[in-house]
Amino acid sequence: MKNSYIKTLKIKNVIHLVISFLILTNSAFASNNQDKPNFLFILTDDQAYTAMGNAGNHQIKTPNLDQLAASGTKFTHVFNQGSWSPAVCAPSRAMINTGRNLYHTGMKDKSIATQARPEHPLWGETFKNAGYDTFMTGKWHVSRQALLRSFTSGKAIHEGGMTYDHYNATMVNLDEKTHQLSAPYPSKKHTSELIADAAVDYLQQKPKRNDAPFLMYVGFLAPHDARQSPQSYVDMYPGKNINLPKSYLKQNTVDQGDFWVRDEILLPIPRKEEPVKQFIGEYYAMITHMDAQIGRILDSLESSPYADNTIVVFTSDHGLAVGKHGLLGKQNQYDHSIRAPFIIAGKGIEQGKVSKGNFYLNSLFPTTAELAGIEVPATVQAKSIVPLLSEQGMSDQKSGLYDYIYGSYRHYQRMVRTDDFKLIYYPMIKQTQLFDLKNDPEELNNLAADPNYHEQLVMLQSKLIDLMKELDDPLDFNAPAQSFKKAGYAIIPWRKNDKRLN
């Protein structure tokens, strides 16, 4: 009996030790989770860097984005590296989610719907493997395979391109338990509202689900056309009250290649003032409506247990012309289309700071990984901007990662810029533009033929060649269409009878 009691006591002691160990381990794990920052990533579609009140645009109302900028750090010069497709958003998202450069994402036109190279760890996938709960809502536009690799759950996900109807977009959910996608269903309400609903619901339900840190990927479809928003928001921006941009032109001065891509035919060419004003007003209405939905998400975060331990990053996939240079879309290399808004706020981020940046959107992956203490995969090519977030980085007058910024659009355009000058070259028509950005920020006066700027022209031409080699740009200026096609990229123009390809 005594031996039996002692044996039972020993078993109880062992069980007690095991339970104590588990409690301590779980407590340490919970503590580690609390030390890990959460991330709320908000990505808009087609939002120009000037389309916010905090960018000095006094015509548009974006109170929530303005408050976010005031509570964090805003970078003014953040760039989309380019596109091999008329749908510029697809390559941009491929770069964001791989952290790789334009021609190294492994996602070309024909493969984007089905593939994501397994040897390239994805942003969400890397965080998920590091113990993060990864959640997706809104526009994805990379591939289903990449979606499933990246996220543990998702709601109101728009997988592909645009349906051009914000009230009837096709959505799917990603079930956390089965890791299967639901049958497609219609949004039945404005996409901005539905996506905000999903994000708010995630934040409210998260404490009941697990204590893992999270990465939320919230991809709005707005302000991409169709220009649909509630009438009350449209009424805020009557066309008669809208000022035309300083760089408004009836028609662009050069044939940039895809001049008849669908973005450009949303209004007649040459442009007329009144339709352009109305077009801008409808664009602003979508952004203000979306800003209200972003406010709902930020309010939910503020009232959650995660308010003090979450880093919010806001940006867009690229900019948009919306009447500037006689253009409407993003298939060009002017600043209004290659630059994106960028705000980062939250734990450890300087408040009320404004800096230049001079980096690409693919820096998002390594930056957030470094902030989370996650090892950045060797396949990531982009640089982290963490050094720019320090006071020392802020005090640097340039406050930028790169002295030279590269840009590319299909086989039609190549670009290189510094803080002072920009060169755009059009290989198909052998035409060059050179702009003095300090004295001509609207990029209206082409100085390429001015002998006073010959030195800057030659320097940038040389630097463009260097960057093309560095980034493995497959384009051969002597045979642009043929070399691009040989590299596996589509060269079919929107106008399929383009005789320049013959």
Side-chain angles (χ1 to χ4, degrees):
M1 189 75 173
K2 183 178 179 181
N3 290 337
S4 176
Y5 173 77
I6 293 173
K7 184 177 182 181
T8 302
L9 185 61
K10 287 181 177 179
I11 291 172
K12 287 183 177 179
N13 287 339
V14 170
I15 292 173
H16 178 73
L17 287 171
V18 171
I19 291 172
S20 298
F21 174 76
L22 290 174
I23 291 172
L24 288 171
T25 302
N26 288 335
S27 297
F29 182 69
S31 177
N32 287 336
N33 283 343
Q34 291 172 0
D35 291 339
K36 291 281 188 182
N38 305 299
F39 293 91
L40 168 56
F41 173 56
I42 301 174
L43 179 66
T44 64
D45 194 338
D46 279 6
Q47 186 172 358
Y49 75 96
T50 55
M52 300 186 298
N54 62 79
N57 186 336
H58 302 300
Q59 288 199 292
I60 192 170
K61 298 176 178 66
T62 55
N64 294 293
L65 289 177
D66 296 348
Q67 178 57 40
L68 184 65
S71 65
T73 294
K74 182 178 75 171
F75 289 98
T76 60
H77 288 67
V78 180
F79 298 87
N80 172 38
Q81 206 173 75
S83 180
W84 32 252
S85 166
V88 180
C89 55
S92 178
R93 291 157 200 265
M95 286 183 278
I96 286 171
N97 283 283
T98 60
R100 294 175 66 79
N101 294 321
L102 179 61
Y103 297 108
H104 283 167
T105 64
M107 304 178 193
K108 299 179 182 179
D109 293 271
K110 294 180 180 179
S111 66
I112 190 166
T114 57
Q115 294 184 18
R117 293 178 65 170
E119 67 270 27
H120 295 167
L122 301 167
W123 182 18
E125 179 182 31
T126 300
F127 272 69
K128 184 169 67 171
N129 291 340
Y132 270 70
D133 190 46
T134 56
F135 171 80
M136 165 73 195
T137 183
K139 183 173 179 177
W140 179 234
H141 209 181
V142 181
S143 74
R144 175 167 288 192
Q145 182 192 79
L147 175 68
L148 295 174
R149 283 170 52 187
S150 298
F151 301 104
T152 52
S153 65
K155 189 175 181 182
I157 301 168
H158 186 69
E159 285 192 88
M162 285 295 298
T163 59
Y164 306 119
D165 187 347
H166 283 276
Y167 288 96
N168 193 33
T170 301
M171 301 292 188
V172 296
N173 296 336
L174 174 59
D175 187 87
E176 181 180 12
K177 294 180 180 178
T178 65
H179 206 242
Q180 297 293 317
L181 293 174
S182 71
Y185 60 91
S187 60
K188 293 186 178 180
K189 67 190 301 186
H190 197 287
T191 59
S192 294
E193 297 172 7
L194 184 66
I195 291 163
D197 288 347
V200 168
D201 181 68
Y202 174 81
L203 285 168
Q204 291 176 344
Q205 298 301 319
K206 175 68 168 63
K208 304 173 187 177
R209 293 175 55 245
N210 58 57
D211 64 353
F214 62 76
L215 169 66
M216 291 179 65
Y217 188 116
V218 181
F220 284 95
L221 280 65
H224 193 295
D225 64 274
R227 304 278 184 248
Q228 298 167 319
S229 54
Q231 190 61 44
S232 59
Y233 287 89
V234 177
D235 292 343
M236 294 170 67
Y237 299 102
K240 63 181 181 180
N241 293 345
I242 299 296
N243 297 326
L244 287 171
K246 293 179 181 179
S247 57
Y248 166 78
L249 295 173
K250 292 183 178 180
Q251 193 163 347
N252 194 23
T253 55
V254 296
D255 180 357
Q256 99 288 20
D258 279 350
F259 197 69
W260 298 96
V261 74
R262 67 162 305 282
D263 293 64
E264 298 303 337
I265 60 174
L266 292 173
L267 291 178
I269 303 172
R271 314 299 185 196
K272 296 182 180 179
E273 291 190 6
E274 294 310 313
V276 169
K277 287 183 176 183
Q278 182 179 342
F279 189 83
I280 296 171
E282 292 170 350
Y283 179 66
Y284 286 175
M286 287 198 76
I287 293 172
T288 298
H289 175 240
M290 180 180 65
D291 179 85
Q293 309 314 310
I294 292 173
R296 289 177 53 211
I297 299 172
L298 296 177
D299 286 345
S300 182
L301 175 64
E302 185 63 28
S303 62
S304 77
Y306 314 111
D308 296 331
N309 194 34
T310 298
I311 295 173
V312 181
V313 182
F314 166 82
T315 189
S316 193
D317 46 8
H318 44 69
L320 203 68
V322 203
K324 297 176 181 178
H325 289 98
L327 302 171
L328 302 178
K330 57 264 188 179
Q331 295 83 8
N332 63 83
Q333 293 297 302
Y334 299 113
D335 266 21
H336 50 62
S337 296
I338 63 174
R339 282 167 65 183
F342 194 98
I343 301 168
I344 181 168
K347 182 181 180 182
I349 306 300
E350 289 285 320
Q351 296 187 15
K353 298 291 184 179
V354 179
S355 188
K356 187 157 282 183
N358 280 348
F359 59 88
Y360 304 108
L361 289 170
N362 59 6
S363 284
L364 277 161
F365 184 167
T367 299
T368 53
E370 184 175 348
L371 290 172
I374 297 172
E375 183 178 357
V376 179
T379 56
V380 170
Q381 297 171 317
K383 293 181 181 180
S384 166
I385 68 162
V386 168
L388 300 185
L389 298 175
S390 68
E391 287 191 23
Q392 183 176 354
M394 292 294 175
S395 65
D396 180 2
Q397 282 190 351
K398 292 196 307 184
S399 298
L401 286 187
Y402 299 100
D403 292 327
Y404 299 91
I405 295 293
Y406 160 91
S408 168
Y409 178 69
R410 303 186 72 196
H411 51 299
Y412 292 123
Q413 305 159 29
R414 292 297 181 271
M415 183 278 297
V416 61
R417 81 187 299 284
T418 64
D419 288 344
D420 298 331
F421 289 93
K422 175 190 283 189
L423 171 78
I424 306 176
Y425 181 60
Y426 302 84
M428 295 294 289
I429 58 175
K430 310 296 184 187
Q431 190 164 338
T432 301
Q433 291 179 314
L434 178 69
F435 299 108
D436 180 346
L437 297 177
K438 284 198 169 181
N439 296 307
D440 178 27
E442 300 296 329
E443 302 170 87
L444 292 171
N445 303 310
N446 183 11
L447 304 173
D450 189 329
N452 293 318
Y453 294 89
H454 181 70
E455 181 179 346
Q456 287 87 351
L457 176 68
V458 172
M459 181 273 292
L460 288 175
Q461 285 174 330
S462 175
K463 194 61 187 179
L464 177 58
I465 297 299
D466 291 343
L467 286 173
M468 289 176 68
K469 291 178 180 177
E470 178 183 329
L471 298 173
D472 287 336
D473 186 335
L475 197 75
D476 180 350
F477 283 159
N478 294 317
Q482 294 84 347
S483 59
F484 212 58
K485 182 178 181 180
K486 185 178 179 181
Y489 297 94
I491 63 168
I492 301 299
W494 200 262
R495 293 177 295 172
K496 294 186 179 180
N497 62 343
D498 193 331
K499 295 180 180 180
R500 293 174 302 175
L501 300 181
N502 297 334

